[in-house]
Amino acid sequence: MINIFRRQRTPFFDLFVLAILSAVVLFLALGQNRHWSSREIRHAEIIREMAESGDYLVPRLLGKVYYDKPPVMHAPAALLTRLMGGPSMTIARLPSAVAGMIGILATYGIGLLFFDRRTALIGAIALLGTIGYSKMAREARPDMILCASILLSCLCLGLGMKKQIGFPRVLWLVSAGLFAGLGAITKGPYGVLVPVLFAVFAPIRRQDFKRPRSDWFWFAFALVAVLAIWAIPAYLRDNGEYLRNVLSQPDLNVTKKDSGNPFYYLSHGFLYSLPPLLFLPCAIADLRRRGYSAPLAIAGALFVIISCIPKKRPHYFLPLEPFIALGIANALVHYCKSSQLVRRAAWLIIPLPIIAIPLYFTTIQPLIQPYKNSEMYLAQEVYKVTGLNAQIYCSSGDAEVLAWVGQQYKRIHRLNTKDPHLSIRDLCNAEANSYLVISEDDLKSIYKDAEPFLKKLILQRKAHNKKKMLFLIGVKDT
């Protein structure tokens, strides 16, 4: 009976199963407010302001142009926000979750190009259960859109390389260029680097793959076309000022060294690639026996490149995870035929996160974190005291949370806490009966000069492991 079912199963059925599993893992409790990841609320507030203004080309944060990221993630979420009638964390995270599902399906397609359906299915399921992948797919950040764009570009490149000649090959290469361009807009050159490495390593030892040569033109043409679709309107808006600031913003400077640990990705990459990476010894042994694995070669090349870049970030490891999952899945298929221990371990460990992740967010997290995010709770407490019409001065992070919770930013003023003199100048210009939200550490740096303006301490709460205080400010009565 089982063998008959396996023979009748088609790739479309596999894709349907993967879509259902992805929806369960990535969409359940997507709008939870118990935990916000780094910069999530910043992107959520950008989406809210974009929906409010109707400007889907230039993102803004607290009313000022935001140069760090183009609006690839923000624009569709802002459109959905207007359609639904209001902002929410579910809508802010939805583009990442959808991109995560697309990435799983694309990984299955890449697995079909390299291996058989069984290996492709195991690799896609292993990726869905990977800690780093599922975590990033549930966060309001653009990294998952980059990963999905890369995987779609690689899939189209692979399909194009299998079409030896003719219009279908050109069509697939154009599609690969379009997705690579989308990835480049989202997060820079990384969106192009991975497809190029795919084209280099995928055809090795494969007679059915023909590496592009002169037809790279079609890939490059589509890539440039996508960049132009975004860049030309952005340039025409203000004669290129926004575009120049995006291209010169500090986040694109990968030469800035911010981690002295040369083994940064060995530790972070291992943690974010669990549990499939537990079977890495099997993959290495299988690699020694068979001599070559295209997915592992691509992952290895990417690992070397990002390790050589001085700037280290955990999310740089994300595009490696699909190729690691496919390489390990191929090894498991071989080892499961001869080792009962490996087969039992794989059956237990690979599917386990598919159950554990939705169970955690729907059942366990509400028990261990029964209250709302501490930053959100602080903002709600602040508004209970100040109302929505008061002028509030605060640091950058607090300003984003206050703007999101209060659904407005015009009465919120960011202090430059790195420069106490500028902070004091802003407080000098504050209206009477304004308010100050500040952490204990930031207050110590400006207290001597700010003390004349602090009329009354109204409340203090611990938020995000910091003691935060709300002051009524203004020149003290003499």
Side-chain angles (χ1 to χ4, degrees):
M1 187 78 174
I2 295 176
N3 290 332
I4 294 175
F5 172 76
R6 286 176 177 173
R7 285 195 299 268
Q8 292 179 345
R9 196 186 72 203
T10 66
F12 292 105
F13 179 79
D14 292 345
L15 290 172
F16 175 75
V17 170
L18 288 172
I20 296 297
L21 289 176
S22 299
V24 171
V25 173
L26 303 181
F27 288 87
L28 286 181
L30 187 62
Q32 58 84 19
N33 276 308
R34 294 176 175 86
H35 174 74
W36 292 341
S37 298
S38 173
R39 297 193 176 184
E40 253 200 311
I41 208 65
R42 173 176 298 180
H43 292 292
E45 174 59 15
I46 291 171
I47 291 167
R48 189 196 69 80
E49 292 183 30
M50 183 174 284
E52 189 177 79
S53 68
D55 183 356
Y56 302 102
L57 188 61
V58 176
R60 286 177 170 79
L61 178 63
L62 302 177
K64 297 181 179 179
V65 176
Y66 183 75
Y67 299 108
D68 284 13
K69 299 290 183 292
V72 176
M73 179 193 78
H74 309 111
L79 283 167
L80 187 58
T81 297
R82 298 198 78 169
L83 181 64
M84 299 301 293
S88 69
M89 288 305 296
T90 301
I91 294 175
R93 292 171 177 148
L94 194 59
S96 292
V98 172
M101 177 186 287
I102 292 172
I104 295 297
L105 302 181
T107 299
Y108 174 79
I110 294 171
L112 288 180
L113 289 175
F114 287 133
F115 311 114
D116 56 14
R117 283 169 49 195
R118 184 184 181 189
T119 304
L121 187 60
I122 293 173
I125 292 175
L127 177 62
L128 181 59
T130 300
I131 292 174
Y133 188 91
S134 58
K135 176 180 180 296
M136 199 64 71
R138 295 180 59 92
E139 296 178 1
R141 295 171 57 96
D143 304 279
M144 187 52 66
I145 295 178
L146 167 69
C147 186
S149 300
I150 286 172
L151 291 172
L152 287 171
S153 181
C154 291
L155 175 60
C156 292
L157 265 176
L159 291 170
M161 287 190 288
K162 277 207 165 187
K163 299 291 183 181
Q164 302 298 322
I165 57 173
F167 179 73
R169 178 178 173 90
V170 171
L171 186 62
W172 285 121
L173 291 176
V174 168
S175 300
L178 292 175
F179 289 119
L182 182 62
I185 295 174
T186 305
K187 294 282 285 188
Y190 213 171
V192 181
L193 172 64
V194 182
V196 170
L197 290 177
F198 182 90
V200 171
F201 290 101
I204 296 176
R205 296 191 177 185
R206 296 292 298 261
Q207 299 297 322
D208 55 337
F209 276 60
K210 182 181 178 182
R211 191 177 287 115
R213 293 181 181 177
S214 60
D215 38 11
W216 272 116
F217 166 81
W218 299 108
F219 177 90
F221 173 79
L223 171 65
V224 172
V226 171
L227 295 176
I229 289 172
W230 167 70
I232 291 175
Y235 181 87
L236 294 176
R237 282 179 64 102
D238 52 13
N239 293 321
E241 181 182 354
Y242 168 71
L243 195 59
R244 285 191 294 270
N245 282 294
V246 169
L247 296 176
S248 61
Q249 50 105 354
D251 199 45
L252 289 178
N253 183 12
V254 296
T255 62
K256 182 180 179 181
K257 188 174 182 179
D258 54 9
S259 174
N261 182 8
F263 305 108
Y264 179 87
Y265 290 113
L266 286 177
S267 58
H268 285 75
F270 177 79
L271 291 174
Y272 276 84
S273 296
L274 290 174
L277 206 64
L278 293 173
F279 296 98
L280 185 61
C282 294
I284 294 174
D286 188 68
L287 188 62
R288 292 181 61 185
R289 181 188 305 173
R290 300 179 185 275
Y292 184 72
S293 169
L296 292 180
I298 296 167
L302 279 172
F303 182 83
V304 171
I305 292 172
I306 64 174
S307 296
C308 292
I309 295 174
K311 186 176 180 179
K312 312 292 187 197
R313 291 289 186 273
H315 52 264
Y316 289 177
F317 201 85
L318 181 63
L320 281 73
E321 292 170 0
F323 299 103
I324 292 173
L326 285 173
I328 289 176
N330 184 45
L332 287 177
V333 168
H334 294 147
Y335 266 89
C336 285
K337 295 176 181 177
S338 57
S339 173
Q340 189 178 38
L341 177 63
V342 172
R343 183 167 61 252
R344 287 178 176 177
W347 271 104
L348 174 65
I349 294 174
I350 296 298
L352 183 61
I354 308 299
I355 302 171
I357 293 171
L359 180 65
Y360 171 77
F361 284 105
T362 58
T363 305
I364 298 175
Q365 191 188 51
L367 293 176
I368 62 176
Q369 293 179 299
Y371 303 108
K372 295 178 181 178
N373 178 279
S374 59
E375 293 175 288
M376 183 177 183
Y377 178 72
L378 173 66
Q380 290 173 337
E381 289 290 291
V382 167
Y383 280 123
K384 286 180 183 178
V385 173
T386 67
L388 294 176
N389 296 321
Q391 304 292 326
I392 302 176
Y393 291 79
C394 54
S395 64
S396 177
D398 291 326
E400 294 161 9
V401 176
L402 287 166
W404 170 256
V405 173
Q407 305 291 286
Q408 61 86 23
Y409 64 86
K410 293 181 180 178
R411 295 178 180 86
I412 297 171
H413 309 275
R414 284 188 293 183
L415 296 176
N416 186 348
T417 51
K418 295 180 180 179
D419 189 334
H421 297 292
L422 290 178
S423 297
I424 296 301
R425 186 194 67 184
D426 291 339
L427 292 177
C428 287
N429 297 325
E431 296 179 2
N433 297 322
S434 296
Y435 294 87
L436 171 66
V437 178
I438 192 167
S439 69
E440 188 176 36
D441 293 337
D442 289 336
L443 180 62
K444 289 178 181 178
S445 67
I446 67 169
Y447 182 77
K448 183 177 179 181
D449 295 317
E451 197 272 338
F453 304 99
L454 306 180
K455 298 180 68 173
K456 182 182 179 182
L457 174 62
I458 299 176
L459 65 83
Q460 48 187 334
R461 297 282 188 274
K462 193 170 184 180
H464 202 57
N465 299 320
K466 290 183 179 181
K467 184 179 179 181
K468 300 289 182 73
M469 291 169 281
L470 173 67
F471 287 93
L472 178 66
I473 62 174
V475 178
K476 286 186 176 180
D477 299 329
T478 56

